[in-house]
Amino acid sequence: MCGISGYIGIKKNFPKIKKIKALLKIMKRRGPDGHGFFVKKSRHMSMLFAHTRLAIIDLKKESNQPFEDEHGVISFNGEIYNYLELRDFCIKKGIKFKTQSDTEVLLKMLNLYGEQAITHLDGMWSFSYYNKIKKRVILSRDRFGEKPLYYIKNKDNLIFGSNISYLNFLSEKKIILDKQKVSDFLLLGFKSLGLNQNTIFKNIKTLRPGSTISINLNKKLKMRIRGFFSVKFKLTFKHSYNEAVGILREKILNVFSTRFRSDVPLASLLSGGLDSSSILSVARRSNIKLRCYSIRSKLKEYNEDSYIKTNIKFSKFDHEFINIPRKNNFKTLKNIVKYQSYPLSTPQAFATALLCKKIKSDGYKVLLSGTGGDEFFAGYYHHYLAYLYSIQGNKNFKQIHNLWKSKISKHIRSRGMKSFENFKKNVENRLSTTSTNQHEDHELKKYVNRRINLQTTKKHSNDFYFNMILQDVRQNSLIHQLDLVDSIPMFYSIEGRSPFLSSDIFDFLTTLPREYFFNKGRPKSLLRDALQDYIPKSISNNLKKVGFYISFKEIFSNKEKKNLYKMITNSSLLNSILNMKEVKKLMMKKKMKHSEAKFLFSASNMAILGGMYDY
């Protein structure tokens, strides 16, 4: 896990050595263990690869980057989990290695196969690669978007990096906030950020997950963007539910074993839910040692202490609860937002920061989380409602609907989602202009003066349920979650890993009928049954979804809230977007709705950014 940045373009704007060294200092949080840069200057196009390293695999300095051999150069952020298997493959082809790193394996594969090498990779990555023989550059981002890659492209140059702050430092032009995108974010939340390549900054784009940029350095700066990972439900599995569960179990065990590969100790986030419990269960079965960390919420509806304690007693792993401090949280928020030049989209992100601060102080550099489990296995309440919507008219609809009403809906706090009838009405009212949020945006309209830019999410399937799952994987929920899994841990020089995110697991799931995801009316039934022998039954059988959450009022003390509110009301950016009269009324409320608290948290983030950038 590392920081990468670079420049490809004409000599006139090429950064000076002094600026490159200053850039490496900015990048140090993502890679405190080593740094370096590669420069290639030519008559047509000049090139810079800058890199800072967080050493996880092969800790020796010989594995520092950019890594170079006679055929190519690579600057790489991430982990190639199947690097041992690919290394053996290369050795059989006569390739010799100087290190034990996954970086060198990736370089050799790219030297051999170019872009086609990506189809052999199992891992998370963003990288820049230069082929010395063909004079070509490849930039790539992994299938699900675990590792970020931002870029600015104009006529004469391309600037790229893991953080927007790196682009801001390298760019000759001012980076400007996009007021429309900021407005959409304040009203619609995190789901507004993953709909396309646009960011909250004008001219800054993010490379879509599962895509590559190819550049021929023998010509003018002309790049080709191509996707290498398509998503659709194939529905080709013709065997029983129990057979599917057995196959899935073996895939999970095999995939997780590669995600535990590390030359440094592993830590894990732990809630009372099924996903983080699955990681613990497989680690315990595989004799992998973990230290676990949990945030402790004081709110009864979000407290999972009893389930967490059950998990720890069962697994016998070391564990620590982290209480939410009552001071310096506002300062911490400002430091994170300023460093990454991007908002923390939810209070949950800040909870992750509190955990990572402790994990860093304990000396851990790798952090596992259950991210992706809900998206892959249909774990959200709206997935269940989408399933009901898809099976209307089927003979088993009434039975599943009754199970929903008796076992699931009672746990839901949002009035807009407690009833299938309300959900159906909401869906049918929005089919022509699909909003990114199903039940909260209407509550916030009075706070935002600008009209939102409603965008239709891409349609992946004619089946409503399958389409929602794929939208959550490719555009809505997962992309947001992965931004947090990368950016927050990396602020503390920690690598975030999400063991569920495997194309082997996901591709298998896309062959299964939708009924398998809700066997006997249970959400996430495939995962529950696949690991039922490894997880405490009280957790495996629990159908209530609590979620990883801390409230706005838990984060900030009264004194900090006053400072925060002052910053919001004094922000010229927010005054140009928000109905500040209504916002001030909201600040005076003793009890806020869930959506209103999230809105104020988002506004806090944008007030910080508004003080840093023009708009």
Side-chain angles (χ1 to χ4, degrees):
M1 191 64 62
C2 308
I4 68 171
S5 188
Y7 172 97
I8 301 170
I10 61 174
K11 285 184 181 180
K12 179 182 176 181
N13 297 329
F14 196 84
K16 306 295 184 183
I17 293 297
K18 184 178 179 180
K19 190 165 190 174
I20 295 172
K21 290 181 177 179
L23 171 66
L24 292 173
K25 290 181 179 179
I26 296 173
M27 296 170 62
K28 189 173 182 179
R29 276 190 178 272
R30 290 189 72 97
D33 299 328
H35 62 270
F37 62 92
F38 169 82
V39 170
K40 170 73 174 177
K41 292 185 178 181
S42 66
R43 185 164 58 92
H44 297 294
M45 290 284 119
S46 296
M47 177 173 53
L48 162 71
F49 288 177
H51 190 276
T52 56
R53 184 186 182 205
L54 180 67
I56 304 296
I57 301 292
D58 189 0
L59 310 184
K60 297 176 182 178
K61 65 180 181 180
E62 286 77 13
S63 292
N64 286 355
Q65 299 181 51
F67 196 98
E68 183 177 2
D69 67 9
E70 64 274 20
H71 297 292
V73 184
I74 193 163
S75 181
F76 161 52
N77 169 32
E79 299 289 349
I80 305 302
Y81 296 125
N82 64 335
Y83 77 101
L84 294 177
E85 292 78 7
L86 293 177
R87 179 187 172 90
D88 289 342
F89 173 81
C90 289
I91 288 173
K92 289 177 181 177
K93 287 189 168 292
I95 303 296
K96 298 185 182 299
F97 288 86
K98 296 180 179 178
T99 73
Q100 299 296 316
S101 68
D102 58 334
T103 301
E104 187 175 12
V105 172
L106 176 57
L107 175 61
K108 301 301 185 185
M109 289 293 294
L110 289 165
N111 288 342
L112 283 171
Y113 297 112
E115 282 188 52
Q116 288 301 311
I118 293 169
T119 62
H120 297 276
L121 305 180
D122 176 25
M124 54 178 180
W125 67 82
S126 60
F127 66 73
S128 56
Y129 163 75
Y130 170 55
N131 188 300
K132 296 179 178 179
I133 311 301
K134 297 182 179 180
K135 310 296 182 187
R136 297 184 72 87
V137 173
I138 297 173
L139 305 178
S140 180
R141 191 177 179 200
D142 64 73
R143 294 173 179 86
F144 298 105
E146 294 185 70
K147 297 297 104 191
L149 191 61
Y150 300 101
Y151 67 92
I152 300 173
K153 167 70 169 62
N154 57 41
K155 181 181 177 182
D156 295 323
N157 56 59
L158 170 73
I159 300 170
F160 62 89
S162 306
N163 276 39
I164 284 176
S165 55
Y166 307 166
L167 276 64
N168 184 41
F169 186 79
L170 284 175
S171 177
E172 295 293 323
K173 296 181 180 180
K174 278 188 176 181
I175 290 176
I176 300 173
L177 285 162
D178 185 331
K179 284 177 66 174
Q180 183 61 61
K181 193 75 173 179
V182 171
S183 179
D184 294 347
F185 168 68
L186 290 170
L187 185 54
L188 300 176
F190 65 82
K191 289 185 179 180
S192 70
L193 299 176
L195 292 177
N196 50 45
Q197 288 183 273
N198 298 330
T199 68
I200 58 172
F201 294 90
K202 292 180 179 179
N203 301 324
I204 295 184
K205 296 186 179 296
T206 178
L207 182 62
R208 295 290 292 176
S211 299
T212 60
I213 295 175
S214 179
I215 302 169
N216 188 340
L217 296 184
N218 292 319
K219 302 178 181 179
K220 291 183 179 181
L221 186 59
K222 186 177 181 180
M223 65 185 207
R224 183 198 67 196
I225 301 178
R226 184 165 60 182
F228 61 84
F229 181 55
S230 62
V231 292
K232 62 181 180 179
F233 275 86
K234 311 172 190 71
L235 310 181
T236 55
F237 192 79
K238 302 299 182 183
H239 304 288
S240 70
Y241 174 80
N242 288 339
E243 288 175 291
V245 166
I247 294 171
L248 177 61
R249 180 186 302 113
E250 290 305 310
K251 287 185 179 295
I252 290 174
L253 295 177
N254 291 335
V255 165
F256 278 30
S257 68
T258 63
R259 272 62 179 167
F260 296 145
R261 289 174 174 173
S262 173
D263 291 336
V264 298
L266 305 174
S268 182
L269 296 180
L270 179 62
S271 69
L274 190 62
D275 300 330
S276 59
S277 300
S278 298
I279 294 172
L280 259 67
S281 70
V282 178
R284 174 176 173 267
R285 183 184 182 277
S286 306
N287 295 317
I288 299 296
K289 187 177 180 181
L290 298 178
R291 179 169 176 81
C292 304
Y293 296 84
S294 307
I295 200 78
R296 174 171 270 156
S297 176
K298 295 179 181 178
L299 299 180
K300 183 179 179 181
E301 62 266 37
Y302 294 112
N303 189 288
E304 295 186 282
D305 284 11
S306 61
Y307 290 110
I308 292 170
K309 289 175 181 177
T310 297
N311 240 327
I312 292 303
K313 183 178 179 181
F314 185 80
S315 67
K316 297 182 173 58
F317 287 134
D318 291 336
H319 173 263
E320 186 169 353
F321 278 110
I322 306 300
N323 293 313
I324 301 167
R326 293 298 292 168
K327 60 181 181 179
N328 294 325
N329 289 338
F330 184 39
K331 180 180 178 181
T332 299
L333 175 65
K334 287 199 292 186
N335 288 340
I336 295 173
V337 173
K338 285 183 177 180
Y339 174 74
Q340 66 182 25
S341 292
Y342 219 65
L344 276 69
S345 48
T346 61
Q348 293 94 305
F350 193 79
T352 302
L354 296 177
L355 289 164
C356 287
K357 184 177 181 180
K358 173 60 176 172
I359 292 165
K360 167 72 173 178
S361 69
D362 287 348
Y364 287 89
K365 296 166 69 175
V366 176
L367 178 62
L368 307 174
S369 80
T371 303
D374 283 322
E375 288 79 7
F376 276 25
F377 297 100
Y380 294 123
Y381 290 137
H382 66 263
H383 291 156
Y384 204 120
L385 289 164
Y387 175 61
L388 285 171
Y389 191 88
S390 285
I391 64 171
Q392 292 177 93
N394 292 10
K395 62 181 180 180
N396 62 336
F397 171 79
K398 186 175 181 180
Q399 177 188 4
I400 300 298
H401 188 207
N402 287 337
L403 285 167
W404 162 265
K405 290 193 291 185
S406 63
K407 294 187 176 182
I408 308 296
S409 64
K410 63 183 179 182
H411 300 306
I412 299 178
R413 291 178 286 271
S414 170
R415 288 183 299 172
M417 296 184 68
K418 286 185 75 72
S419 159
F420 170 68
E421 289 72 23
N422 287 344
F423 177 84
K424 179 181 177 181
K425 182 179 178 180
N426 193 25
V427 167
E428 291 173 351
N429 285 340
R430 294 172 182 267
L431 283 179
S432 58
T433 55
T434 304
S435 169
T436 56
N437 197 307
Q438 293 184 9
H439 55 88
E440 292 181 348
D441 57 332
H442 67 282
E443 299 175 348
L444 304 177
K445 286 181 180 178
K446 63 182 177 182
Y447 301 118
V448 180
N449 282 330
R450 294 174 65 93
R451 293 184 62 183
I452 61 170
N453 183 23
L454 278 176
Q455 299 181 60
T456 302
T457 51
K458 182 179 178 181
K459 188 174 183 179
H460 297 279
S461 172
N462 290 326
D463 179 273
F464 188 82
Y465 163 72
F466 288 139
N467 189 56
M468 182 170 283
I469 290 292
L470 294 177
Q471 285 181 338
D472 275 356
V473 168
R474 298 300 282 174
Q475 292 169 279
N476 293 338
S477 174
L478 187 58
I479 288 179
H480 150 70
Q481 299 287 342
L482 292 176
D483 281 344
L484 304 185
V485 172
D486 174 81
S487 62
I488 304 303
M490 287 308 298
F491 179 78
Y492 293 97
S493 305
I494 297 170
E495 172 183 287
R497 292 187 183 182
S498 305
F500 282 111
L501 295 185
S502 156
S503 57
D504 191 35
I505 292 175
F506 182 74
D507 286 347
F508 175 67
L509 292 174
T510 62
T511 69
L512 304 179
R514 60 192 175 193
E515 290 76 16
Y516 284 12
F517 292 84
F518 299 93
N519 188 53
K520 298 179 181 178
R522 298 168 302 150
K524 298 177 85 166
S525 56
L526 283 162
L527 183 59
R528 294 179 196 278
D529 291 337
L531 299 180
Q532 64 178 339
D533 294 335
Y534 310 137
I535 297 175
K537 293 194 181 303
S538 61
I539 294 173
S540 180
N541 295 332
N542 180 28
L543 301 184
K544 180 181 180 181
K545 182 170 182 58
V546 174
F548 180 55
Y549 183 76
I550 58 174
S551 72
F552 182 81
K553 65 182 180 182
E554 283 185 284
I555 297 175
F556 302 111
S557 65
N558 289 332
K559 182 179 179 181
E560 286 185 316
K561 274 190 277 191
K562 288 180 181 179
N563 291 332
L564 186 148
Y565 292 163
K566 183 178 180 181
M567 182 181 67
I568 290 174
T569 54
N570 289 341
S571 168
S572 57
L573 169 66
L574 295 183
N575 272 280
S576 70
I577 294 173
L578 301 181
N579 181 342
M580 202 56 73
K581 182 178 179 180
E582 290 294 334
V583 172
K584 289 177 180 178
K585 289 180 184 178
L586 173 59
M587 292 172 179
M588 299 299 292
K589 290 175 71 171
K590 291 184 178 181
K591 189 173 183 179
M592 297 179 191
K593 294 178 181 179
H594 183 77
S595 58
E596 291 173 332
K598 288 199 298 184
F599 167 77
L600 278 181
F601 186 81
S602 297
S604 306
N605 282 256
M606 293 316 307
I608 296 168
L609 286 172
M612 298 171 59
Y613 295 97
D614 293 335
Y615 52 90

